[in-house]
Structure formats: C-alpha cells, structure tokens
Amino acid sequence: MKLLLLSNSSAPGRGYLDHAREVVAEHLGGVRELLFVPYALADHDAYTAKVAAFMGELGVRVRGLHGSGDPRAEVAAAEAVFVGGGNSFRLLRALQGHGLVPELARRVQEDGVPYMGSSAGTNMACPTLRTTNDMPIVQPTSFGTLGLVPFQINPHYLDPQPGSAHMGETREERLTQFLEENDVPVLGLREGTWLQRRDGVLELGGTSAGARLFSAGAEPVEYAPGADLSSLLAVAPRFDHRLG
C-alpha cells in the first residue's frame, strides 16, 4: 500500500496543504488525475475547487467524487484517492451510504492505488473512527472504517497545557479512557506531521513536533520526524466490537 496520512491540511500562515507540498508531490508522482472525496464538509463544490487549485500547481487534475452518478464506478477506476478533512462522522456515513468502504479499501490494499487523507480522511484509514476528535453530528451505521493501518490515529493531537483553565478532559486523558476499553495502540499526530507508507515501511514525517504513541498499560512514547514506525503495521487490533 501507498499511504500519506496527514494530521492537518492547513497550517498557520500557510496556504492549503502548503506545509506538506513536497511530500504530497512525491506521493502523487506520476498521477495525472486525483479522485477527491469531499463528503466531510457540506459544500462539496467549494471544497473540491480548493483542492483542485492546489493540485493544479502540481500538475494533477482533480475530479470530485460527489459529481458522479456512480461513485463506486469512480472509485473502481481511480488512479489515486484523496479523502479530505472535516467531520469524521459525516464522512463515514456518506461513504457507507454510497457503499464505498469495501471498494475503497480494496483499491488501496489490493490494487495499490495511492491513498491520501487529512484529518478525517486520516481517521478513515484506521480500523475505526473511535479516536476522532469530532462531534457526532450524524450517526453512521457502524464505527468501522477502511482498516488501511491496524492501529488508531488521533489527528491534531494536543499536549496538556500547564496552567490551563480548561476543565474538560485533555486529549491524553481521552485516549487513556479509550485504552481502558480497547487494546490497540493510538498514535497522536501533532499538527504539521504525517505518516507515509512506502514499500512496507511506515515513516513519521513533518515538523519537529513529532508524534506520541499511546498503548494500554504503558507510558506514552515520543517519536521524532524520520522515525520508522513499521512495527505498528504488525499490530493485531482488539476492540470491543459490541460498539460497532
């Protein structure tokens, strides 16, 4: 599989995807047309136009999946796929409603179609969406996603802020609660970071912020950009499947 999983698509003071321009260009090297999945946001046309403007600078045409009368046929014929960020629950419900989850997974896993996700699109690459940060504004039929990686990811991971007046759970506390119910690692991707899988190697890239790995019964482990995380590809996810 060829994967590029971004924590975020926008960075302060930078244009859309500009912070990841080089790695996106590398990931899509040789691709002429990209199939974009805009379902995580409500305005599909505007979202697709934003992606097309960026990809056009790389010489890649963009086709919005929402414009097709037969989405499954579009996925079956796609040269490469980008699933954009937004609300993970809305995105998954749309993928399920169009019957796209099995076909997307098959094209990436079996046919080697390059997959790129940002935020919610990165959540879709996991076994489930249970470690998303999003509000469940709609209800999907299940939490099961594409399973392109066997571990969970928490995009936009934020470290606890000393002295903060916020009284809700920190991201670390929420992920600890997740691990009380599910025995599967969770990689917290800080802003500006990404995972890239090429030739069976999984590498952490991006800014110096790096990532934090949470596992049941163990202290979190810090990783810097350039770290080889290929060992995570051998994880056997174990969930309480009563939750869907």
Side-chain angles (χ1 to χ4, degrees), residues 187 189 193-196 202-206 210-211 223-229:
L187 187 68
L189 282 180
T193 60
W194 56 76
L195 289 175
Q196 189 173 21
L202 186 69
E203 183 178 335
L204 177 66
Y223 289 97
D228 185 339
L229 300 180

Side-chain angles (χ1 to χ4, degrees), residues 121-184:
T122 290
N123 281 320
M124 293 303 104
C126 301
T128 81
L129 55 53
R130 294 178 195 174
T131 51
T132 180
N133 305 311
D134 298 332
M135 182 177 290
I137 61 174
V138 296
Q139 182 171 318
T141 58
S142 79
F143 291 159
T145 43
L146 300 176
L148 303 180
V149 295
F151 56 93
Q152 291 293 123
I153 298 172
N154 178 242
H156 308 289
Y157 176 75
L158 293 172
D159 294 290
Q161 297 297 313
S164 172
H166 176 65
M167 300 307 293
E169 293 95 337
T170 64
R171 195 69 55 78
E172 180 176 352
E173 288 171 333
R174 289 180 174 177
L175 295 181
T176 298
Q177 291 169 358
F178 170 83
L179 290 168
E180 291 170 350
E181 302 290 340
N182 302 282
D183 184 12
V184 59

Side-chain angles (χ1 to χ4, degrees), residues 88-98 137-141:
S88 299
F89 292 90
R90 176 160 51 190
L91 171 58
L92 180 57
R93 189 178 74 163
L95 293 177
Q96 292 170 341
H98 291 296
I137 61 174
V138 296
Q139 182 171 318
T141 58

